[in-house]
Amino acid sequence: MDLVLDILDTFLFDRVYSTLLPASGDTHNGNYIYNQAISEYMPLEASEWADKSALQRDNVLRQTISLFIIAWLFGTLVYLTTSTLSYIFIFDKKSLTHPKFLTRQIPLELRTALSAIPLMAALTVPFFLAEVRGYSKLYSTPATAPFPLYNILQYPLFIAFTDFCIYWIHRGEHHPAVYKWLHKRHHRWIVPSPYASFAFHPVDGWAQSLPYHVFPFLCPLEKRAYLALFGFVTVWTVFIHDGEYITRSAIINGSACHTYHHLYFNYNYGQFTTLWDRLGGSYREPDPDLFDPKTKMGKRQWEKQVKEMEEIVREVEGVDERDNCGTYFGYLGTGTSVGKLCKVDAYV
């Protein structure tokens, strides 16, 4: 994150802070080296406003504010961009007529996500701050890796570590003592769209992101790999909510597996693989019909899903509050659902 901060300090934040909080005199102490992180990759001279603010670049308050802005705005931008691209080019629009797709669901997903992202960003700032101030094991270039092969091994290590941790965090959130006040908000989306990917309770979203932030404090990770993996994680989170069942792999926890998690709750908690679900006895193989374009969105498949899902909801949640959103779960002769006007505040 120090790479991103150096770049934004040079081209944006130096000027903003010098304008809002100008220095009363010469505050540059001569010891702080501007752009010290980015300089290992590219030459970047300090801006003319670099030492003209009362809050110097290495000031912890300034770094905290800047990192929050970065996490909030970039998180929002990446969420909206990837979800919208997925919705336009990948998401199967037939899902919109599924009997469990709520009336006005996409606006609800968007509002839930956009209200949660700034709070998730605030909770994440302490990790970014510790990284920027040198407390992590992030390293700058391949030459500074623990050993040459580690530059390759860091990727499967990151995936393995985060997949293991997220499985147990996610499964723990389904415990009755936790589910209703924390994770239930995300499970209002029985049939999610890509916009559901960040539509969490903010503490829930933060908790499931913890392994990504903890990893570089436990294991070395190159800074550029760190940023690339964050991009990968974001895209993956959107893709497993897109309803397009591309992979039928028994190893990869793809969209079909995660669809079953939303439909049937207590299965397929994994993030990237099915390994821990298999070992933990929570794996449920997707129905082969889901991979056949002729049957995946058919009336028979939907009726089967609705029947079992409603039984599980009664067991897990009791009263299905999704009915309060005014969705009628019946079929017309064409197999489409009928919806009434949704009470937008039903789940807020």
Side-chain angles (χ1 to χ4, degrees):
M1 192 57 69
D2 53 2
L3 304 179
V4 176
L5 192 56
D6 274 350
I7 293 171
L8 288 177
D9 272 337
T10 301
F11 294 104
L12 177 63
F13 290 146
D14 282 343
R15 184 165 188 173
V16 170
Y17 283 107
S18 65
T19 301
L20 297 178
L21 295 166
S24 57
D26 184 8
T27 59
H28 185 40
N29 58 26
N31 296 321
Y32 182 69
I33 303 173
Y34 293 109
N35 306 315
Q36 57 183 4
I38 197 67
S39 64
E40 297 186 68
Y41 300 96
M42 58 181 288
L44 186 63
E45 294 183 3
S47 70
E48 60 181 289
W49 301 282
D51 59 353
K52 295 181 180 179
S53 172
L55 292 181
Q56 293 286 284
R57 286 191 182 186
D58 57 350
N59 180 280
V60 67
L61 176 60
R62 169 171 166 168
Q63 289 177 336
T64 299
I65 295 170
S66 298
L67 290 168
F68 169 71
I69 292 171
I70 292 169
W72 179 11
L73 297 185
F74 274 66
T76 300
L77 178 63
V78 171
Y79 161 69
L80 290 175
T81 301
T82 54
S83 297
T84 300
L85 290 174
S86 177
Y87 181 81
I88 293 172
F89 296 108
I90 300 176
F91 179 60
D92 192 332
K93 306 303 187 296
K94 292 180 182 178
S95 296
L96 299 173
T97 61
H98 191 287
K100 289 297 183 181
F101 197 92
L102 301 177
T103 308
R104 291 181 55 80
Q105 178 171 312
I106 289 178
L108 283 167
E109 290 172 335
L110 277 164
R111 191 171 71 169
T112 302
L114 294 176
S115 64
I117 288 173
L119 296 174
M120 288 191 284
L123 292 170
T124 305
V125 164
F127 292 96
F128 289 154
L129 187 63
E131 293 165 9
V132 167
R133 299 188 75 82
Y135 294 103
S136 73
K137 295 186 177 183
L138 291 169
Y139 62 93
S140 298
T141 62
T144 56
F147 50 91
L149 185 59
Y150 190 82
N151 289 302
I152 298 174
L153 292 178
Q154 63 182 331
Y155 296 99
L157 281 175
F158 178 89
I159 296 298
F161 175 82
T162 54
D163 196 44
F164 168 78
C165 293
I166 291 173
Y167 172 81
W168 290 108
I169 291 171
H170 190 181
R171 185 163 185 168
E173 290 181 341
H174 278 258
H175 189 281
V178 177
Y179 174 79
K180 289 189 177 181
W181 71 268
L182 184 64
H183 194 51
K184 182 179 177 180
R185 184 178 298 187
H186 187 61
H187 271 277
R188 77 183 71 169
W189 327 119
I190 296 298
V191 179
S193 82
Y195 293 106
S197 56
F198 280 50
F200 287 92
H201 186 293
V203 176
D204 181 5
W206 171 77
Q208 293 199 55
S209 73
L210 274 175
Y212 309 135
H213 305 298
V214 169
F215 182 84
F217 290 92
L218 300 178
C219 300
L221 187 65
E222 192 200 342
K223 293 177 180 180
R224 290 175 297 183
Y226 176 66
L227 295 174
L229 285 166
F230 262 96
F232 165 74
V233 165
T234 301
V235 172
W236 184 268
T237 303
V238 172
F239 279 178
I240 62 175
H241 289 90
D242 65 18
E244 189 58 45
Y245 312 133
I246 297 174
T247 177
R248 198 175 174 180
S249 170
I251 299 172
I252 299 173
N253 181 68
S255 180
C257 286
H258 199 69
T259 291
Y260 265 29
H261 177 72
H262 276 263
L263 281 168
Y264 307 131
F265 292 76
N266 296 322
Y267 302 95
N268 301 348
Y269 299 104
Q271 180 77 351
F272 301 115
T273 75
T274 63
L275 173 63
W276 296 105
D277 279 300
R278 291 177 181 277
L279 294 176
S282 55
Y283 176 67
R284 177 164 175 168
E285 183 179 1
D287 193 314
D289 284 353
L290 294 183
F291 301 94
D292 185 341
K294 296 179 180 179
T295 59
K296 65 175 280 192
M297 294 293 180
K299 180 178 178 180
R300 179 180 298 178
Q301 180 65 227
W302 284 358
E303 287 178 339
K304 177 183 175 182
Q305 292 172 359
V306 168
K307 181 180 179 181
E308 184 175 356
M309 172 265 164
E310 289 182 343
E311 292 175 357
I312 295 173
V313 165
R314 283 193 291 270
E315 178 182 345
V316 174
E317 297 183 359
V319 177
D320 186 358
E321 295 177 358
R322 294 164 193 80
D323 291 342
N324 294 335
C325 204
T327 300
Y328 172 64
F329 297 137
Y331 287 96
L332 295 175
T334 57
T336 58
S337 60
V338 179
K340 296 182 292 185
L341 182 62
C342 177
K343 297 177 182 178
V344 178
D345 293 327
Y347 298 103
V348 178

